[in-house]
Amino acid sequence: MKAYWIAHVDVTDPERYSEYTRRAPAAFAKYGGRLLARGGRSEALEGRPTPQRSVVIEFDSYDQALACYRSAEYQEACGYRQGVAKAEVIIVEGVEP
């Protein structure tokens, strides 16, 4: 069953954050992740205010999505996000069609 990585991100230093966005896609690709949405137009209809960036990444399984997040490659990329962005990341399992 597919799984989805959903992230809401508020960036405080776009220049330094760009190093994260340059490095992270390699980890996504290694674990079969496919970007479905990344920073496009969005609007919060309920809950917290709209984050600056919303990201949705599809993986073939929950285990692959979790392995990607925990991977050395992704954690190295996260080092470039620390201190320059506030991120909320969840992984959710999809439903069967």
Side-chain angles (χ1 to χ4, degrees), residues 36-58:
L36 301 180
R38 186 179 188 189
R41 185 170 61 163
S42 65
E43 180 178 346
L45 301 176
E46 293 187 34
R48 79 176 193 101
T50 304
Q52 290 174 340
R53 297 176 60 83
S54 293
V55 180
V56 179
I57 305 168
E58 180 182 66

PDB file of all heavy atoms in Angstrom, residues 36-58:
ATOM      1  N   LEU A  36       4.715  14.965  -5.383  1.00  0.00           N
ATOM      2  CA  LEU A  36       3.392  15.250  -5.931  1.00  0.00           C
ATOM      3  C   LEU A  36       3.042  16.725  -5.784  1.00  0.00           C
ATOM      4  O   LEU A  36       2.302  17.270  -6.596  1.00  0.00           O
ATOM      5  CB  LEU A  36       2.326  14.392  -5.241  1.00  0.00           C
ATOM      6  CG  LEU A  36       2.514  12.885  -5.339  1.00  0.00           C
ATOM      7  CD1 LEU A  36       1.376  12.168  -4.617  1.00  0.00           C
ATOM      8  CD2 LEU A  36       2.588  12.423  -6.794  1.00  0.00           C
ATOM      9  N   ALA A  37       3.550  17.350  -4.735  1.00  0.00           N
ATOM     10  CA  ALA A  37       3.334  18.786  -4.514  1.00  0.00           C
ATOM     11  C   ALA A  37       4.548  19.310  -3.762  1.00  0.00           C
ATOM     12  O   ALA A  37       5.070  18.638  -2.868  1.00  0.00           O
ATOM     13  CB  ALA A  37       2.072  19.031  -3.695  1.00  0.00           C
ATOM     14  N   ARG A  38       4.990  20.494  -4.143  1.00  0.00           N
ATOM     15  CA  ARG A  38       6.170  21.063  -3.486  1.00  0.00           C
ATOM     16  C   ARG A  38       6.130  22.584  -3.577  1.00  0.00           C
ATOM     17  O   ARG A  38       6.585  23.172  -4.545  1.00  0.00           O
ATOM     18  CB  ARG A  38       7.447  20.534  -4.135  1.00  0.00           C
ATOM     19  CG  ARG A  38       8.700  20.971  -3.416  1.00  0.00           C
ATOM     20  CD  ARG A  38       9.909  20.392  -4.090  1.00  0.00           C
ATOM     21  NE  ARG A  38      11.114  20.629  -3.319  1.00  0.00           N
ATOM     22  CZ  ARG A  38      12.317  20.378  -3.748  1.00  0.00           C
ATOM     23  NH1 ARG A  38      12.502  19.857  -4.949  1.00  0.00           N
ATOM     24  NH2 ARG A  38      13.348  20.623  -2.992  1.00  0.00           N
ATOM     25  N   GLY A  39       5.560  23.200  -2.549  1.00  0.00           N
ATOM     26  CA  GLY A  39       5.617  24.649  -2.436  1.00  0.00           C
ATOM     27  C   GLY A  39       4.698  25.430  -3.349  1.00  0.00           C
ATOM     28  O   GLY A  39       4.850  26.635  -3.460  1.00  0.00           O
ATOM     29  N   GLY A  40       3.734  24.780  -3.979  1.00  0.00           N
ATOM     30  CA  GLY A  40       2.807  25.500  -4.849  1.00  0.00           C
ATOM     31  C   GLY A  40       1.760  26.268  -4.046  1.00  0.00           C
ATOM     32  O   GLY A  40       1.810  26.345  -2.814  1.00  0.00           O
ATOM     33  N   ARG A  41       0.819  26.803  -4.734  1.00  0.00           N
ATOM     34  CA  ARG A  41      -0.242  27.585  -4.110  1.00  0.00           C
ATOM     35  C   ARG A  41      -1.027  26.718  -3.133  1.00  0.00           C
ATOM     36  O   ARG A  41      -1.345  25.572  -3.420  1.00  0.00           O
ATOM     37  CB  ARG A  41      -1.163  28.120  -5.209  1.00  0.00           C
ATOM     38  CG  ARG A  41      -2.230  29.038  -4.713  1.00  0.00           C
ATOM     39  CD  ARG A  41      -2.928  29.703  -5.840  1.00  0.00           C
ATOM     40  NE  ARG A  41      -3.580  28.723  -6.713  1.00  0.00           N
ATOM     41  CZ  ARG A  41      -4.524  29.036  -7.580  1.00  0.00           C
ATOM     42  NH1 ARG A  41      -4.901  30.289  -7.726  1.00  0.00           N
ATOM     43  NH2 ARG A  41      -5.066  28.112  -8.335  1.00  0.00           N
ATOM     44  N   SER A  42      -1.335  27.278  -1.947  1.00  0.00           N
ATOM     45  CA  SER A  42      -2.119  26.549  -0.950  1.00  0.00           C
ATOM     46  C   SER A  42      -2.876  27.544  -0.083  1.00  0.00           C
ATOM     47  O   SER A  42      -2.525  28.733  -0.028  1.00  0.00           O
ATOM     48  CB  SER A  42      -1.221  25.658  -0.082  1.00  0.00           C
ATOM     49  OG  SER A  42      -0.344  26.438   0.693  1.00  0.00           O
ATOM     50  N   GLU A  43      -3.900  27.046   0.583  1.00  0.00           N
ATOM     51  CA  GLU A  43      -4.707  27.886   1.462  1.00  0.00           C
ATOM     52  C   GLU A  43      -5.232  27.027   2.599  1.00  0.00           C
ATOM     53  O   GLU A  43      -5.836  25.983   2.367  1.00  0.00           O
ATOM     54  CB  GLU A  43      -5.888  28.473   0.678  1.00  0.00           C
ATOM     55  CG  GLU A  43      -6.781  29.348   1.494  1.00  0.00           C
ATOM     56  CD  GLU A  43      -7.904  29.948   0.677  1.00  0.00           C
ATOM     57  OE1 GLU A  43      -7.852  29.896  -0.569  1.00  0.00           O
ATOM     58  OE2 GLU A  43      -8.846  30.471   1.281  1.00  0.00           O
ATOM     59  N   ALA A  44      -4.980  27.446   3.832  1.00  0.00           N
ATOM     60  CA  ALA A  44      -5.499  26.737   5.001  1.00  0.00           C
ATOM     61  C   ALA A  44      -6.973  27.085   5.169  1.00  0.00           C
ATOM     62  O   ALA A  44      -7.326  28.261   5.258  1.00  0.00           O
ATOM     63  CB  ALA A  44      -4.719  27.124   6.243  1.00  0.00           C
ATOM     64  N   LEU A  45      -7.817  26.080   5.177  1.00  0.00           N
ATOM     65  CA  LEU A  45      -9.248  26.295   5.357  1.00  0.00           C
ATOM     66  C   LEU A  45      -9.672  26.060   6.798  1.00  0.00           C
ATOM     67  O   LEU A  45     -10.709  26.560   7.232  1.00  0.00           O
ATOM     68  CB  LEU A  45     -10.035  25.394   4.407  1.00  0.00           C
ATOM     69  CG  LEU A  45      -9.706  25.625   2.923  1.00  0.00           C
ATOM     70  CD1 LEU A  45     -10.455  24.639   2.057  1.00  0.00           C
ATOM     71  CD2 LEU A  45      -9.996  27.055   2.512  1.00  0.00           C
ATOM     72  N   GLU A  46      -8.894  25.276   7.530  1.00  0.00           N
ATOM     73  CA  GLU A  46      -9.126  25.037   8.953  1.00  0.00           C
ATOM     74  C   GLU A  46      -7.781  24.845   9.627  1.00  0.00           C
ATOM     75  O   GLU A  46      -6.800  24.502   8.980  1.00  0.00           O
ATOM     76  CB  GLU A  46      -9.980  23.781   9.162  1.00  0.00           C
ATOM     77  CG  GLU A  46     -11.393  23.893   8.654  1.00  0.00           C
ATOM     78  CD  GLU A  46     -12.233  22.685   9.030  1.00  0.00           C
ATOM     79  OE1 GLU A  46     -12.021  22.113  10.110  1.00  0.00           O
ATOM     80  OE2 GLU A  46     -13.107  22.329   8.227  1.00  0.00           O
ATOM     81  N   GLY A  47      -7.748  25.027  10.931  1.00  0.00           N
ATOM     82  CA  GLY A  47      -6.518  24.770  11.669  1.00  0.00           C
ATOM     83  C   GLY A  47      -5.561  25.948  11.643  1.00  0.00           C
ATOM     84  O   GLY A  47      -5.964  27.097  11.556  1.00  0.00           O
ATOM     85  N   ARG A  48      -4.284  25.616  11.649  1.00  0.00           N
ATOM     86  CA  ARG A  48      -3.256  26.654  11.727  1.00  0.00           C
ATOM     87  C   ARG A  48      -3.193  27.468  10.438  1.00  0.00           C
ATOM     88  O   ARG A  48      -3.677  27.031   9.395  1.00  0.00           O
ATOM     89  CB  ARG A  48      -1.905  26.032  12.055  1.00  0.00           C
ATOM     90  CG  ARG A  48      -1.183  25.379  10.906  1.00  0.00           C
ATOM     91  CD  ARG A  48       0.192  24.915  11.404  1.00  0.00           C
ATOM     92  NE  ARG A  48       1.091  24.542  10.344  1.00  0.00           N
ATOM     93  CZ  ARG A  48       2.064  25.312   9.889  1.00  0.00           C
ATOM     94  NH1 ARG A  48       2.251  26.524  10.343  1.00  0.00           N
ATOM     95  NH2 ARG A  48       2.882  24.893   8.951  1.00  0.00           N
ATOM     96  N   PRO A  49      -2.564  28.639  10.497  1.00  0.00           N
ATOM     97  CA  PRO A  49      -2.401  29.449   9.279  1.00  0.00           C
ATOM     98  C   PRO A  49      -1.636  28.678   8.193  1.00  0.00           C
ATOM     99  O   PRO A  49      -0.852  27.778   8.489  1.00  0.00           O
ATOM    100  CB  PRO A  49      -1.593  30.658   9.757  1.00  0.00           C
ATOM    101  CG  PRO A  49      -1.823  30.719  11.232  1.00  0.00           C
ATOM    102  CD  PRO A  49      -2.002  29.293  11.674  1.00  0.00           C
ATOM    103  N   THR A  50      -1.838  29.063   6.969  1.00  0.00           N
ATOM    104  CA  THR A  50      -1.182  28.415   5.835  1.00  0.00           C
ATOM    105  C   THR A  50       0.333  28.488   5.987  1.00  0.00           C
ATOM    106  O   THR A  50       0.882  29.578   6.159  1.00  0.00           O
ATOM    107  CB  THR A  50      -1.582  29.097   4.517  1.00  0.00           C
ATOM    108  OG1 THR A  50      -3.004  29.091   4.410  1.00  0.00           O
ATOM    109  CG2 THR A  50      -0.989  28.391   3.314  1.00  0.00           C
ATOM    110  N   PRO A  51       1.013  27.317   5.930  1.00  0.00           N
ATOM    111  CA  PRO A  51       2.474  27.352   5.963  1.00  0.00           C
ATOM    112  C   PRO A  51       3.013  27.923   4.651  1.00  0.00           C
ATOM    113  O   PRO A  51       2.310  27.940   3.631  1.00  0.00           O
ATOM    114  CB  PRO A  51       2.873  25.881   6.124  1.00  0.00           C
ATOM    115  CG  PRO A  51       1.716  25.121   5.586  1.00  0.00           C
ATOM    116  CD  PRO A  51       0.501  25.954   5.830  1.00  0.00           C
ATOM    117  N   GLN A  52       4.251  28.365   4.670  1.00  0.00           N
ATOM    118  CA  GLN A  52       4.858  28.893   3.449  1.00  0.00           C
ATOM    119  C   GLN A  52       4.954  27.812   2.376  1.00  0.00           C
ATOM    120  O   GLN A  52       4.782  28.094   1.202  1.00  0.00           O
ATOM    121  CB  GLN A  52       6.257  29.431   3.735  1.00  0.00           C
ATOM    122  CG  GLN A  52       6.265  30.690   4.562  1.00  0.00           C
ATOM    123  CD  GLN A  52       7.682  31.090   4.938  1.00  0.00           C
ATOM    124  OE1 GLN A  52       8.615  30.295   4.910  1.00  0.00           O
ATOM    125  NE2 GLN A  52       7.846  32.345   5.305  1.00  0.00           N
ATOM    126  N   ARG A  53       5.283  26.590   2.794  1.00  0.00           N
ATOM    127  CA  ARG A  53       5.478  25.499   1.841  1.00  0.00           C
ATOM    128  C   ARG A  53       4.734  24.265   2.338  1.00  0.00           C
ATOM    129  O   ARG A  53       4.807  23.929   3.512  1.00  0.00           O
ATOM    130  CB  ARG A  53       6.950  25.141   1.689  1.00  0.00           C
ATOM    131  CG  ARG A  53       7.808  26.255   1.141  1.00  0.00           C
ATOM    132  CD  ARG A  53       9.277  25.866   1.106  1.00  0.00           C
ATOM    133  NE  ARG A  53       9.543  24.698   0.285  1.00  0.00           N
ATOM    134  CZ  ARG A  53       9.704  24.718  -1.038  1.00  0.00           C
ATOM    135  NH1 ARG A  53       9.620  25.852  -1.685  1.00  0.00           N
ATOM    136  NH2 ARG A  53       9.963  23.619  -1.704  1.00  0.00           N
ATOM    137  N   SER A  54       4.053  23.592   1.437  1.00  0.00           N
ATOM    138  CA  SER A  54       3.459  22.285   1.718  1.00  0.00           C
ATOM    139  C   SER A  54       4.034  21.323   0.697  1.00  0.00           C
ATOM    140  O   SER A  54       4.144  21.646  -0.480  1.00  0.00           O
ATOM    141  CB  SER A  54       1.937  22.336   1.600  1.00  0.00           C
ATOM    142  OG  SER A  54       1.407  23.153   2.624  1.00  0.00           O
ATOM    143  N   VAL A  55       4.412  20.141   1.175  1.00  0.00           N
ATOM    144  CA  VAL A  55       5.062  19.148   0.325  1.00  0.00           C
ATOM    145  C   VAL A  55       4.355  17.815   0.505  1.00  0.00           C
ATOM    146  O   VAL A  55       4.065  17.413   1.639  1.00  0.00           O
ATOM    147  CB  VAL A  55       6.557  18.995   0.693  1.00  0.00           C
ATOM    148  CG1 VAL A  55       7.240  17.971  -0.192  1.00  0.00           C
ATOM    149  CG2 VAL A  55       7.272  20.345   0.618  1.00  0.00           C
ATOM    150  N   VAL A  56       4.094  17.119  -0.601  1.00  0.00           N
ATOM    151  CA  VAL A  56       3.532  15.769  -0.565  1.00  0.00           C
ATOM    152  C   VAL A  56       4.417  14.886  -1.441  1.00  0.00           C
ATOM    153  O   VAL A  56       4.654  15.205  -2.606  1.00  0.00           O
ATOM    154  CB  VAL A  56       2.078  15.725  -1.075  1.00  0.00           C
ATOM    155  CG1 VAL A  56       1.532  14.302  -1.039  1.00  0.00           C
ATOM    156  CG2 VAL A  56       1.185  16.666  -0.275  1.00  0.00           C
ATOM    157  N   ILE A  57       4.918  13.791  -0.848  1.00  0.00           N
ATOM    158  CA  ILE A  57       5.769  12.851  -1.566  1.00  0.00           C
ATOM    159  C   ILE A  57       5.149  11.472  -1.448  1.00  0.00           C
ATOM    160  O   ILE A  57       4.813  11.029  -0.343  1.00  0.00           O
ATOM    161  CB  ILE A  57       7.202  12.833  -0.995  1.00  0.00           C
ATOM    162  CG1 ILE A  57       7.781  14.251  -0.984  1.00  0.00           C
ATOM    163  CG2 ILE A  57       8.087  11.884  -1.807  1.00  0.00           C
ATOM    164  CD1 ILE A  57       9.055  14.384  -0.177  1.00  0.00           C
ATOM    165  N   GLU A  58       4.985  10.795  -2.565  1.00  0.00           N
ATOM    166  CA  GLU A  58       4.404   9.453  -2.589  1.00  0.00           C
ATOM    167  C   GLU A  58       5.509   8.399  -2.600  1.00  0.00           C
ATOM    168  O   GLU A  58       6.489   8.528  -3.332  1.00  0.00           O
ATOM    169  CB  GLU A  58       3.548   9.295  -3.847  1.00  0.00           C
ATOM    170  CG  GLU A  58       2.903   7.933  -3.964  1.00  0.00           C
ATOM    171  CD  GLU A  58       2.116   7.813  -5.252  1.00  0.00           C
ATOM    172  OE1 GLU A  58       2.751   7.831  -6.334  1.00  0.00           O
ATOM    173  OE2 GLU A  58       0.880   7.727  -5.168  1.00  0.00           O
TER     174      GLU A  58
END
